[in-house]
Amino acid sequence: MEKERHSMTEITDKKPVNAPSVGMILLKLRSLIAFLGVFIVFAIIAPNFLTAGNLISMAKHSAIWAILAMGMTYVIVGGGIDLSVGSVAGLCGMLAGGLIIEGLPLPLFGVIIYFHTPVIILIILVIGILLGAFNGLLVTKLGVAPFIATLGLLYMARGFALLRSGGKTFPNLVGDPALGTTGFPALGAGTILNIPMVVWIALFIGIIAAYVSKKTPFGRHVFAVGGNEDAAKLSGIRVSRVKMATYMFSGFTAALIGLILSSQLMASHPATGETYELTAIAAVVLGGTSLSGGRGSIGGSVIGALILGVLNDGLVMVGVSSFWQTVIKGLVVILAVVIDQYQLNKQNEAALKQQTVSDAE
Amino acid sequence: MIENGSRLVLEAKGIRKVYPGTIALQDVHFKAYSGSVNALVGENGAGKSTLMKILAGIESLNAGELFLCDDNGKSEKITFNSTRDAARKGIGIVHQELNLFSDLDVAENIFMNKERTKYRNLYIDHAAQMKEARKVLKKLGQDIDPGIAVRDLRLGQQQIVEIAKTMIDEPRILIMDEPTSSLSIPEVRVLFSVMEDLKNHGVAIIYISHRLEEIKEIGDYITILRDSRLIHSGLVKDIEMVDIIEKMVGRDPKKFFSGQAHETGQELLSVKDMTLPRYGGGFTLDKVSFKVRKGEVLGIYGLMGAGRTELLESLMGGMDKAVGEIWLEDQRLDKMDMKNRLGAGIVLIPEERQREGLFLNLSVDKNLTMSSIGNYTKWFHIVKSREFESVKEMIKAISIRVAAPDISISALSGGNQQKVVIGKALLTNPKILLMDEPTRGIDVGAKSDVFEIVNSMAKRGFGIVLVSSELEEVCSMSDRILVLSKGKVTAEFDRSEANEEKIRRASEIGHGISASA
């Protein structure tokens, strides 16, 4: 009996071969296939779809959702959800606009401090991280359900965004050379090698986020926490810290988007980023991340954002009414989850079959 | 259809049931007779519970047929799609775990999903429910107020409520899945008299228990399962206890446990006055102190609620309110968090492996290295080859049967999943291994593998704390046995002086049981 068992384990000496069927591979790559599918369809039916201008505009839209979706992916894989990102983006945009136009008044000393643009960007990113930490603290220390905690911040951040200017817009964020506050619009309008800055930023953050999630212990721990919190604790994982970090990263991406949107518009509007949290969640779900946690990938979410970006622009170009666009987006998200469930069942069946065969040997 | 004086009421033929990664039942035949206790025995994982679930309509079968025989001896083929189907045919089940809503009162629990209503289901007639509940409880010989919340009842009384739930359907067949496992001896006596009464009313009781003495006492028919197959069926009075055991285990019972004394070295773990207050007063753990040496297996035995699991969790740092000194060699652990305790060399293999031990969303290899992933990193980068090497070694060392290391953990059988949990713990290079019911619900082969792992770990100088609710297991595996009752250490035996009787006695101290038991 012992002998048999040992011979069984010899299999593991070979590189694990899961010999998946063609159908399985297609299922696994479905987001990518879907993306290519919609891309090709629009390329054929929409006349100006393949022009450089349109491609760049689509890339810009997609990049914004992709960045938000990366933060969201971490939070969701870790078993949470972050509904506050849209509002946090709005608030951060307003704070940035305020710092550029009005500076930081210190009435106690009777002075107004104007920061240089890079410092402003840094301050805002830190504020985003702190807002994420606020979510994290509510969830980990006070035991508030993630949905509720971040819903609370959704309202609060939007309220503060409106309060910051009394509901008005900070217009014309070009800054004043005398105060060193110039250059902010470059974040949104700047290009490197003819490709918009936003896309580069998305690429940069995407590579780091994907690397961390796949190749570092922290990334592994996020999956563990989202999959089984009790087991994660017993495995020596500091669950609270892991969750905290995911919310902070999400806050960071939200702040970044707030900065980019204000920079693109060259104005800070308090309603900026409304319902962006939902678009980000839709992108994450389209990319195959499970809302119940423990399963998902950064790459998938980026593809999800790309699908939404292409659909968005493509539908406009072929003249579908914006009302129908909304309906179609909803359908696509639901369809994605249905296929996802189907794939999960198939995958489990296949694993089972493989294991049963090996058990019988 | 009269056989051996009782009437056949239920017959199962050629039952087969397959679960992910394991065959639970293979060509099993089973008969139940009216007015008698039909005992079903077998080891953990033999297939008893699965058979029960099929008879009660909880699980569907992959092959085989079920027949019900009515009073005239006519048999009817039946298929169940739900417990409601089964209930309609007169089959009720009392589960091993209590399925009660503790904040609802007794009557509400009894009538859950079969509420007595008025005005076309628009109004629950609670008065009628109370009346009926009182009647049923009286029939069961119990003086329980049906208006009291279940949370305020003793465990034994809750078990009675569980039975009352099935009684209002007036079942002809009542399945009882280890109903005594959490009861004290006086409560068991009450239950037996209730069962006697049901028998006299012609009810066929299908009774599962691994307390064989109980079966000798109240059983009429016995069916023995082993490794998902039928081994024996017949009258209880025709078979001797030793034969039952041998048929259950499939080999000489004495040889089954590979237990042996281990050579022990210097002191490793020392626990002083571990105390855990109970929610609502009293103590779950009351000044528990003990020591574990190198290479020693310390068995901890106790009834349900004795504080076994809580003790291990307190040692691991999972209980915030626990106080008491814990020393592992010269490190003091009780101020550390779980991660640091793990780093210091103590690790827990939890009782409920799926809930506390495994990441069902991840593959076997990622599960294995989850606690030790820091050992395979360069800077902050996981070196896949090093991780894979470790995984491969561990799979081999504790013979995990797996098609490929990157297969989903959910495809494995219970025994192999348990080995993955153990492997995960071993990869942290622990000094002390806390094992909470490591053999619960796994098949016989995996069980002896687990014992072998325990023995070889002890030989390599680990200190092992083994919690088990199976007396035999504790007796044969341990070098020393600590008995807990109601959170207190009530006895400590050396391997040489321990026997099942002494341990059982010590485990019942404080339960208000007279010496006559």
Side-chain angles (χ1 to χ4, degrees):
Chain A
M1 200 155 162
E2 270 311 290
K3 279 271 139 47
E4 270 171 35
R5 278 202 199 127
H6 280 274
S7 71
M8 260 294 311
T9 56
E10 292 305 314
I11 293 171
T12 60
D13 286 344
K14 287 179 259 162
K15 194 79 194 129
V17 274
N18 265 352
S21 64
V22 179
M24 231 20 226
I25 295 174
L26 290 179
L27 261 180
K28 271 191 170 169
L29 295 176
R30 67 186 176 285
S31 332
L32 193 60
I33 294 168
F35 165 65
L36 293 174
V38 287
F39 191 88
I40 291 168
V41 168
F42 283 122
I44 295 167
I45 63 172
N48 294 323
F49 188 78
L50 283 181
T51 58
N54 183 54
L55 290 180
I56 284 181
S57 131
M58 272 192 320
K60 270 167 116 170
H61 284 142
S62 306
I64 284 171
W65 292 332
I67 291 171
L68 277 183
M70 287 167 202
M72 191 67 79
T73 306
Y74 269 84
V75 175
I76 290 179
V77 169
I81 189 130
D82 189 352
L83 298 177
S84 68
V85 288
S87 298
V88 169
L91 175 59
C92 286
M94 289 307 289
L95 293 175
L99 284 178
I100 292 168
I101 303 282
E102 295 178 350
L104 181 65
L106 291 175
L108 210 57
F109 304 97
V111 292
I112 296 176
I113 302 175
Y114 287 95
F115 298 102
H116 287 283
T117 305
V119 180
I120 291 176
I121 291 175
L122 220 62
I123 291 171
I124 298 303
L125 291 178
V126 169
I127 288 174
I129 292 171
L130 289 177
L131 288 170
F134 175 76
N135 279 331
L137 276 179
L138 286 177
V139 171
T140 58
K141 290 282 175 292
L142 300 178
V144 183
F147 190 98
I148 307 298
T150 59
L151 181 67
L153 186 60
L154 177 148
Y155 283 119
M156 285 168 60
R158 186 63 67 198
F160 281 122
L162 288 158
L163 282 168
R164 177 64 191 83
S165 64
K168 290 196 287 284
T169 302
F170 287 119
N172 203 20
L173 300 179
V174 286
D176 184 344
L179 300 169
T181 54
T182 52
F184 186 64
L187 190 62
T191 59
I192 300 172
L193 302 174
N194 283 330
I195 292 173
M197 194 77 103
V198 197
V199 178
W200 288 113
I201 294 173
L203 205 64
F204 179 70
I205 297 177
I207 289 170
I208 293 178
Y211 169 80
V212 169
S213 111
K214 285 253 192 289
K215 299 285 179 197
T216 68
F218 171 76
R220 197 69 70 82
H221 289 170
V222 176
F223 282 86
V225 169
N228 187 345
E229 211 178 308
D230 290 322
K233 262 184 213 151
L234 276 180
S235 299
I237 296 169
R238 290 184 169 123
V239 172
S240 296
R241 283 193 203 178
V242 171
K243 284 189 179 174
M244 195 75 186
T246 64
Y247 285 103
M248 286 162 77
F249 178 52
S250 183
F252 167 82
T253 58
L256 187 59
I257 291 308
L259 288 168
I260 291 171
L261 289 173
S262 327
S263 166
Q264 284 179 345
L265 293 168
M266 286 205 268
S268 297
H269 182 65
T272 300
E274 260 173 10
T275 74
Y276 273 43
E277 60 280 345
L278 300 181
T279 314
I281 293 170
V284 169
V285 169
L286 271 178
T289 295
S290 153
L291 272 189
S292 50
R295 214 159 51 79
S297 72
I298 293 293
S301 300
V302 171
I303 293 173
L306 283 169
I307 294 175
L308 288 176
V310 169
L311 268 182
N312 208 48
D313 286 26
L315 288 172
V316 173
M317 296 183 81
V318 294
V320 175
S321 86
S322 70
F323 305 147
W324 274 111
Q325 284 177 35
T326 318
V327 174
I328 291 170
K329 270 190 242 168
L331 269 177
V332 167
V333 170
I334 291 173
L335 191 69
V337 178
V338 172
I339 300 175
D340 199 40
Q341 280 305 321
Y342 177 76
Q343 185 224 332
L344 200 63
N345 289 340
K346 281 278 160 220
Q347 207 171 313
N348 285 342
E349 266 171 40
L352 211 56
K353 216 156 114 201
Q354 192 186 357
Q355 180 68 21
T356 317
V357 167
S358 96
D359 276 351
E361 272 169 24
Chain B
M1 273 265 186
I2 307 264
E3 288 180 36
N4 304 318
S6 303
R7 207 168 44 72
L8 181 68
V9 288
L10 174 87
E11 186 169 11
K13 284 184 184 164
I15 304 294
R16 179 181 166 86
K17 175 75 192 175
V18 183
Y19 282 122
T22 168
I23 297 167
L25 291 172
Q26 260 186 94
D27 196 32
V28 169
H29 297 259
F30 179 74
K31 288 176 183 172
Y33 299 90
S34 69
S36 45
V37 172
N38 305 269
L40 182 63
V41 298
E43 289 228 298
N44 282 338
K48 297 169 298 191
S49 290
T50 310
L51 182 56
M52 288 308 84
K53 284 179 182 161
I54 287 172
L55 296 180
I58 297 165
E59 296 273 4
S60 60
L61 38 79
N62 297 111
E65 289 171 316
L66 295 178
F67 297 94
L68 269 186
C69 308
D70 64 14
D71 294 345
N72 309 318
K74 272 222 307 256
S75 81
E76 171 204 5
K77 188 176 171 212
I78 45 168
T79 48
F80 299 141
N81 292 315
S82 68
T83 46
R84 291 195 102 166
D85 283 357
R88 225 169 278 138
K89 294 285 183 192
I91 300 179
I93 184 163
V94 178
H95 290 280
Q96 181 175 7
E97 319 84 39
L98 295 168
N99 292 297
L100 296 172
F101 303 90
S102 44
D103 289 311
L104 300 184
D105 69 30
V106 172
E108 283 167 328
N109 267 286
I110 291 177
F111 289 95
M112 182 53 66
N113 204 19
K114 31 199 165 186
E115 292 81 2
R116 299 292 182 256
T117 56
K118 270 184 181 172
Y119 315 121
R120 297 170 178 266
N121 276 341
L122 286 173
Y123 174 78
I124 294 179
D125 187 354
H126 197 61
Q129 292 192 164
M130 292 286 277
K131 213 170 124 193
E132 251 185 279
R134 205 164 279 134
K135 221 162 76 191
V136 170
L137 290 168
K138 204 168 166 198
K139 211 159 111 190
L140 291 172
Q142 290 302 300
D143 184 26
I144 299 172
D145 174 9
I148 204 168
V150 163
R151 141 175 347 276
D152 297 328
L153 295 178
R154 276 182 291 112
L155 213 54
Q157 293 176 313
Q158 294 188 9
Q159 188 69 268
I160 298 292
V161 173
E162 211 36 270
I163 296 171
K165 249 166 81 177
T166 59
M167 291 311 297
I168 54 155
D169 292 330
E170 305 199 332
R172 291 191 296 145
I173 299 165
L174 182 62
I175 302 169
M176 304 175 95
D177 191 358
E178 307 222 17
T180 58
S181 60
S182 55
L183 301 188
S184 67
I185 287 180
E187 288 169 337
V188 171
R189 309 272 25 131
V190 172
L191 182 72
F192 281 4
S193 70
V194 167
M195 286 168 66
E196 205 60 49
D197 194 45
L198 291 172
K199 258 172 76 169
N200 294 337
H201 283 84
V203 176
I205 298 173
I206 299 173
Y207 186 79
I208 305 177
S209 175
H210 53 227
R211 293 191 183 164
L212 298 180
E213 329 81 87
E214 287 179 355
I215 284 162
K216 270 308 229 187
E217 183 182 341
I218 56 155
D220 298 302
Y221 296 89
I222 184 165
T223 301
I224 304 175
L225 296 182
R226 183 176 80 224
D227 292 346
S228 49
R229 286 169 205 276
L230 174 71
I231 295 300
H232 172 91
S233 63
L235 287 167
V236 171
K237 63 174 177 346
D238 293 344
I239 187 167
E240 288 301 316
M241 190 85 108
V242 278
D243 297 325
I244 298 179
I245 296 174
E246 195 171 330
K247 285 185 163 49
M248 273 171 62
V249 182
R251 49 192 128 158
D252 188 344
K254 286 189 196 69
K255 283 189 196 141
F256 174 60
F257 295 106
S258 45
Q260 56 202 133
H262 309 98
E263 221 168 278
T264 60
Q266 85 234 37
E267 186 182 307
L268 258 183
L269 180 76
S270 157
V271 177
K272 279 183 211 134
D273 294 336
M274 183 53 75
T275 300
L276 179 66
R278 188 199 302 277
Y279 191 70
F283 293 97
T284 305
L285 293 175
D286 193 356
K287 295 195 171 165
V288 175
S289 302
F290 63 90
K291 291 185 163 99
V292 182
R293 295 173 168 287
K294 259 186 130 144
E296 183 179 43
V297 178
L298 175 71
I300 295 185
Y301 180 81
L303 298 175
M304 221 162 113
R308 304 166 305 186
T309 297
E310 291 82 355
L311 176 60
L312 293 196
E313 284 188 8
S314 302
L315 294 180
M316 204 56 223
M319 295 279 172
D320 294 338
K321 303 264 180 298
V323 287
E325 266 180 54
I326 309 166
W327 289 89
L328 177 54
E329 290 177 325
D330 52 359
Q331 291 171 285
R332 186 165 175 180
L333 300 187
D334 51 293
K335 304 278 182 241
M336 294 182 180
D337 73 355
M338 220 178 256
K339 184 184 165 78
N340 288 335
R341 290 188 201 204
L342 217 81
I346 186 167
V347 62
L348 171 66
I349 292 156
E351 179 178 10
E352 294 182 57
R353 62 177 166 266
Q354 295 225 337
R355 203 172 64 72
E356 300 181 312
L358 293 173
F359 304 95
L360 294 175
N361 54 322
L362 298 176
S363 53
V364 170
D365 52 354
K366 285 184 181 164
N367 267 282
L368 273 171
T369 55
M370 193 53 83
S371 290
S372 53
I373 192 73
N375 299 343
Y376 317 114
T377 52
K378 194 171 174 188
W379 301 94
F380 42 77
H381 179 86
I382 300 171
V383 182
K384 193 73 201 160
S385 58
R386 257 162 54 197
E387 189 191 2
F388 186 63
E389 203 54 40
S390 259
V391 166
K392 219 173 66 182
E393 268 168 35
M394 189 48 75
I395 285 177
K396 202 162 195 168
I398 59 176
S399 46
I400 302 171
R401 288 167 66 95
V402 59
D406 61 349
I407 204 165
S408 166
I409 186 89
S410 52
L412 269 57
S413 66
N416 277 306
Q417 289 186 346
Q418 180 68 321
K419 286 188 205 163
V420 171
V421 177
I422 294 174
K424 178 176 70 162
L426 293 181
L427 281 174
T428 63
N429 292 321
K431 292 172 186 154
I432 288 280
L433 214 54
L434 309 172
M435 305 179 101
D436 196 357
E437 302 273 6
T439 60
R440 171 174 282 187
I442 64 180
D443 62 69
V444 184
K447 216 171 188 175
S448 72
D449 281 356
V450 169
F451 290 142
E452 224 160 271
I453 295 169
V454 170
N455 277 330
S456 73
M457 291 303 136
K459 260 180 220 150
R460 283 170 48 191
F462 287 72
I464 293 163
V465 180
L466 176 77
V467 160
S468 175
S469 54
E470 309 218 2
L471 264 179
E472 246 179 310
E473 198 172 298
V474 174
C475 283
S476 71
M477 293 305 300
S478 316
D479 297 300
R480 212 148 42 86
I481 296 157
L482 210 63
V483 184
L484 285 183
S485 177
K486 304 217 151 176
K488 282 190 182 135
V489 177
T490 50
E492 190 179 334
F493 301 104
D494 213 60
R495 182 182 180 81
S496 52
E497 55 181 15
N499 68 41
E500 297 192 12
E501 187 52 37
K502 280 196 216 163
I503 296 175
R504 175 161 301 176
R505 281 255 161 84
S507 74
E508 282 162 356
I509 293 174
H511 281 79
I513 300 159
S514 61
S516 66

